[in-house]
Amino acid sequence: MQSGCIPPHLVSRLVELGHVEEVELWAGRGEWFCAQEWARLLAGQGREEQALAVLTPYVATGWWTAVRATAELLESWGRADEAIALSRSRMEAGHPQALQFHARLLARHGRGDEAFDLLRPHIHDWSLAAALTDVADDAGRDDEAAALLAAQIPDEHRCDGPWCCRGLDLDTAIGLLATIRERQGRIDDAIALLRTRDNNSLNNQDQLADLLARQGRTEELHAYAATEPLGHAARRLAELLEERGDVEGAIAVYRHAGDASVCPGNVAVDLAQLLSRHGRVDEAVEVMRALADAPGGAEDWIVDMLCTLYADQGRPQDGLAYLDALKARRGEEEWELFWIRLPLMAACDRVDEAVEQTSYHPEGGTSYAVSHVARLLAGAGRLEEAVAALEPHSSANSHDLAGYLIDLGRVERAVVVLQQHSPKPPPPSPGPWHDSPPF
């Protein structure tokens, strides 16, 4: 969670504002992100051994994050053998993430067979199976990897819950095998495999749609997008058409998908972003306005998108008017919608009024509300006031407060704020049952 320390973005700000000596100082006092940045700066000056000396105390603890970062630095300097030796030491010590990293490192440096053999016994672990699929390409052992994966796909089995197949689940095995088949040029086999999966969508992407797009199988992608309910295939098709210059075709895909998708809001946002990219902001506003005005459509993220479009057009007053009308219809304005009006008011040079209205809101005194107020003040160049607003809530807003303090040149105070730790909760009361968990 990057709590109790100087986080990466503030380390970068210290460097940008010329406080490099502070970064060097705290690199030697247990601040990992300072050490990482200071090592990078030293390496950029050709002082590689000094950079390694900065990281050595962290590596000596056995902490994997430090070991990995140091190995990556060594590799980037062309010292792959040292990186391999370092990652091997943690792998042999049994660190759960070291094996995958070490194997991939070996494969990148011409030792694919060795990497494959290390991973082969761990085919039942989904992350190591994914690494084995990648390493097989470098090792020239796609057929062997495919056989291992195929053996993990039981005939006519479908998981009935997320914990049905522990480790390498059926859908993951199919997806990895399809990756190999595509790499081998067996495109039809890869497509057929993916069509057997219950769900090809993961992390807001769809593997089958991506494969069809890569292979230029536009007609098949059209047909798939018409039936895929989440809208991920429609997005990939629209992206493909946009890349080819067919903006109208991409728009039509989104409009058709929105009628059938179980996530029409997501499709509408994709369409609005497409229209906005091509200078058709008025149409984008119409799309989002229609969505927000539909029954149950005025969710905070949808209203935020609509008001952002108004602001981008230089029409913050229209955004405020919409929020006022929405408040009048509902008779109240919960915080999730209230905060959207604050940057719009600032764009109308009404910062003081925005701050005053926030103080009247039922949630205006909370730490999250104060962070919005501080952002308004800082945006208006009123950093001292932003700091004063955040000071009573420093624990919950330590990163924001420290950032403003750094901008004011108060680095020591910023570090104190960042290094403060939240008090531990009291131990649970005796007895087998508790009203709240002890963490």
Side-chain angles (χ1 to χ4, degrees):
M1 299 300 291
Q2 297 179 5
S3 61
C5 68
I6 307 175
H9 71 282
L10 292 183
V11 173
S12 297
R13 190 178 299 184
L14 286 169
V15 173
E16 290 166 8
L17 295 177
H19 300 294
V20 178
E21 71 286 350
E22 296 289 340
V23 174
E24 178 184 6
L25 172 68
W26 288 104
R29 294 184 176 181
E31 286 288 343
W32 163 248
F33 296 112
C34 286
Q36 199 172 17
E37 180 63 13
W38 180 232
R40 187 189 67 80
L41 292 172
L42 289 171
Q45 300 168 8
R47 299 158 66 183
E48 294 178 3
E49 295 308 318
Q50 289 173 267
L52 286 178
V54 171
L55 300 179
T56 295
Y58 298 87
V59 174
T61 68
W63 185 38
W64 172 245
T65 298
V67 172
R68 175 172 182 154
T70 304
E72 288 172 343
L73 270 181
L74 287 166
E75 184 185 17
S76 71
W77 299 338
R79 297 163 64 171
D81 288 344
E82 293 174 71
I84 289 169
L86 180 59
S87 64
R88 180 188 293 113
S89 68
R90 295 310 300 147
M91 180 192 72
E92 291 174 346
H95 193 282
Q97 298 176 37
L99 174 57
Q100 178 185 159
F101 178 87
H102 181 67
R104 291 182 186 276
L105 181 58
L106 288 171
R108 286 197 297 272
H109 295 279
R111 297 165 66 174
D113 280 323
E114 184 180 348
F116 190 95
D117 290 338
L118 277 173
L119 293 169
R120 195 181 192 284
H122 304 280
I123 190 66
H124 299 288
D125 182 301
W126 72 267
S127 62
L128 297 178
L132 182 138
T133 300
D134 295 337
V135 163
D137 190 25
D138 296 304
R141 297 170 72 172
D142 273 346
D143 287 336
E144 189 175 349
L148 288 169
L149 289 166
Q152 306 303 311
I153 303 174
D155 293 337
E156 299 180 359
H157 171 73
R158 286 294 177 270
C159 295
D160 56 7
W163 307 112
C164 176
C165 293
R166 300 290 181 107
L168 180 61
D169 63 277
L170 178 65
D171 279 354
T172 300
I174 292 172
L176 294 174
L177 181 54
T179 297
I180 293 177
R181 293 306 184 213
E182 183 185 6
R183 201 159 64 205
Q184 293 174 319
R186 297 169 58 177
I187 309 304
D188 288 336
D189 289 346
I191 292 172
L193 273 167
L194 292 176
R195 290 193 186 280
T196 67
R197 292 209 304 190
D198 291 332
N199 181 20
N200 279 298
S201 294
L202 181 66
N203 297 329
N204 214 28
Q205 290 185 306
D206 187 287
Q207 187 176 355
L208 177 55
D210 288 341
L211 187 156
L212 293 171
R214 280 193 301 272
Q215 299 300 324
R217 316 258 296 236
T218 312
E219 290 185 8
E220 291 173 74
L221 183 52
H222 265 285
Y224 180 48
T227 61
E228 192 272 304
L230 299 177
H232 297 159
R235 181 192 300 119
R236 189 64 192 95
L237 174 58
E239 290 170 348
L240 180 64
L241 293 172
E242 185 183 7
E243 290 164 8
R244 295 176 177 179
D246 185 4
V247 176
E248 293 300 329
I251 292 171
V253 167
Y254 281 134
R255 292 197 186 280
H256 181 267
D259 296 332
S261 175
V262 297
C263 305
N266 293 338
V267 176
V269 168
D270 288 337
L271 173 56
Q273 291 173 336
L274 169 66
L275 291 165
S276 183
R277 280 196 300 274
H278 292 275
R280 298 163 65 168
V281 185
D282 285 337
E283 294 175 71
V285 168
E286 289 177 12
V287 168
M288 294 308 301
R289 183 66 184 259
L291 179 62
D293 288 342
E299 298 182 51
D300 55 344
W301 64 282
I302 292 172
V303 175
D304 183 29
M305 174 72 178
L306 172 61
C307 290
T308 298
L309 287 171
Y310 278 131
D312 290 345
Q313 275 191 298
R315 298 164 53 190
Q317 299 91 340
D318 290 340
L320 289 170
Y322 179 82
L323 290 171
D324 289 340
L326 184 61
K327 179 181 179 181
R329 289 200 305 270
R330 292 186 170 184
E332 61 178 358
E333 189 171 45
E334 58 267 46
W335 177 257
E336 287 74 12
L337 292 174
F338 176 85
W339 75 262
I340 297 172
R341 69 170 57 245
L342 300 181
L344 297 174
M345 295 179 73
C348 298
D349 297 321
R350 296 164 57 188
V351 172
D352 287 329
E353 184 182 350
V355 172
E356 184 179 10
Q357 284 194 18
T358 303
S359 69
Y360 297 145
H361 192 278
E363 297 177 61
T366 60
S367 59
Y368 49 84
V370 169
S371 71
H372 285 275
V373 170
R375 195 171 303 125
L376 289 181
L377 294 167
R382 296 157 61 175
L383 288 176
E384 292 285 3
E385 293 175 72
V387 168
L390 288 176
E391 285 279 9
H393 306 273
S394 61
S395 179
N397 294 291
S398 59
H399 288 190
D400 289 343
L401 175 56
Y404 299 140
L405 288 167
I406 289 170
D407 290 342
L408 289 168
R410 302 177 194 167
V411 178
E412 290 186 12
R413 172 59 185 153
V415 173
V416 170
V417 168
L418 290 168
Q419 290 183 335
Q420 65 186 355
H421 294 274
S422 301
K424 293 182 179 180
S429 57
W433 304 105
H434 307 288
D435 292 332
S436 58
F439 48 78

